[in-house]
Amino acid sequence: MKVLLAHTPEMRRNYYGDRSLNGLRATAEVILHESDETLDVAGLVRAARDVDIIVADRMTEGSGEIFAQLPHLRAFVRCAVDIRNVDVEAASQAGVLVTRAGPGFVQAVAELALGFMVDLSRGVSRTTAAYQAGRKPEARMGRQLAGSRIGIIGYGSIGRYLAEIAKVLRMEVLVADPFATVSDAAIRHVSLDELLAASDYVVCLAIANEATENLIGEAALARMQNHAVFVNLSRGNLIDEAALARALLENRIAGAAMDVGRAPDQMPTPELAKLPNVIATPHVGGLTPQAIEYQSLETVRQVEAIVRGEVPQGAVNADRWTRRP
């Protein structure tokens, strides 16, 4: 069988290591995408003309147009959790299997959340920038995490892990998630409005979908305390960025941190990221060797199963997979 690894060379270096690539090569003939440009629809169709399986990074769109044009394609394997830019219905109609990777980045993202909270509270980035620019930094009073209240929006894998860390740090933990059950007596399960009004740190980890579009907007931000900070490690479309910018510029909240935004590839929006009370990172929450290897090796296991004609873990439309080997 032939496998197209659709990652650009840069994405391959960062998100698909040698161990995983060697694993693919031990299972099938591997074709590498060597251009620095992400494959668009036409480019993907050309590159995958004779392949059985596409292993795609999060930037490679699984448009509905491709599946009918690739009669040899058996599976579209996404090396990421997010498959919102994959037309699963079109793939299903063509009999093509779609898979996704599991959340191997839970610890990495939770650790970044902690780093954001410490930075916002103690001015690490701000004072470092002042020193590096030859200015005398201002020594401001900080806030310690112990004794503070963290509000976690979304109680999935990352939210649960972060809550446990926060408890160890002697933080009071609030959770807002209408679909979750919280059995830990040390964690308060509250409404979103109550969480926003009571928390010193608001950490957004909710799932991004139509229902959560602009979940944090003008009204939500107005409920936050003036000294509170907002951290987004989910997706940019949960946030009304214009409303967040106004709240920051008017000092209605103390600061914000973001690893995601509405710029391409879910990067923070530069206009928002450059505000003085904002810290931002370029969508690197899951960019650690452990997290990346977890997801890339999972795609290897999925390809191995597909080659054997088996339904792999992570399949999202197995009941409509008719192009089996």
Side-chain angles (χ1 to χ4, degrees), residues 21 65 77-78 91 98 115 121 159 177 196 252 255 312:
L21 181 55
E65 304 169 50
V77 175
R78 170 51 55 82
V98 176
S121 301
D177 188 330
L196 292 165
R252 289 187 275 119

Side-chain angles (χ1 to χ4, degrees), residues 209-230:
N209 54 35
E210 291 182 5
T212 56
E213 182 77 21
N214 288 327
L215 178 69
I216 304 300
E218 198 74 54
L221 292 163
R223 294 186 178 95
M224 290 179 61
Q225 303 176 79
N226 289 343
H227 72 266
V229 297
F230 178 76

Side-chain angles (χ1 to χ4, degrees), residues 80-96:
V81 175
D82 193 346
I83 57 169
R84 286 178 299 157
N85 66 351
V86 179
D87 191 334
V88 177
E89 177 57 29
S92 299
Q93 289 178 8
V96 176

Side-chain angles (χ1 to χ4, degrees), residues 303-318:
V303 168
E304 290 171 345
I306 292 165
V307 169
R308 294 192 301 265
E310 300 170 0
V311 174
Q313 183 175 356
V316 300
N317 63 340

Side-chain angles (χ1 to χ4, degrees), residues 52-263:
D52 300 277
I53 302 168
I54 294 173
V55 176
D57 62 287
R58 65 180 185 243
M59 290 289 288
T60 304
E61 182 179 357
S63 170
E65 304 169 50
I66 71 170
F67 300 108
Q69 298 182 60
L70 296 173
H72 298 289
L73 186 67
R74 302 177 188 275
F76 190 96
V77 175
R78 170 51 55 82
C79 188
V81 175
D82 193 346
I83 57 169
R84 286 178 299 157
N85 66 351
V86 179
D87 191 334
V88 177
E89 177 57 29
S92 299
Q93 289 178 8
V96 176
L97 182 70
V98 176
T99 74
R100 71 199 312 170
F105 45 71
V106 170
Q107 293 88 348
V109 175
E111 289 175 12
L112 184 57
L114 288 177
F116 278 162
M117 291 192 294
V118 171
D119 197 337
L120 288 166
S121 301
R122 307 304 293 271
V124 179
S125 295
R126 183 186 67 249
T127 55
T128 298
Y131 274 121
Q132 292 174 343
R135 302 190 305 270
K136 180 181 178 180
E138 179 184 357
R140 298 182 186 177
M141 183 67 68
R143 170 182 288 275
Q144 66 183 38
L145 301 187
S148 296
R149 189 176 289 154
I150 181 174
I152 302 172
I153 304 172
Y155 197 52
S157 301
I158 302 171
R160 292 173 188 273
Y161 189 84
L162 180 59
E164 292 304 310
I165 297 174
K167 285 163 52 183
V168 171
L169 293 172
R170 302 294 188 268
M171 300 184 77
E172 182 180 349
V173 183
L174 308 183
V175 167
D177 188 330
F179 305 105
T181 299
V182 180
S183 56
D184 189 336
I187 298 174
R188 289 173 53 201
H189 195 183
V190 299
S191 69
L192 178 59
D193 286 354
E194 183 177 350
L195 180 148
L196 292 165
S199 300
D200 304 303
Y201 302 89
V202 174
V203 182
C204 185
L205 295 168
I207 293 173
N209 54 35
E210 291 182 5
T212 56
E213 182 77 21
N214 288 327
L215 178 69
I216 304 300
E218 198 74 54
L221 292 163
R223 294 186 178 95
M224 290 179 61
Q225 303 176 79
N226 289 343
H227 72 266
V229 297
F230 178 76
V231 176
N232 187 20
L233 285 157
S234 178
R235 287 291 183 265
N237 51 301
L238 278 86
I239 315 303
D240 180 340
E241 293 192 339
L244 178 58
R246 287 192 294 272
L248 290 164
L249 290 167
E250 296 168 8
N251 295 313
R252 289 187 275 119
I253 63 173
M258 59 200 69
D259 184 50
V260 292
R262 292 182 181 266

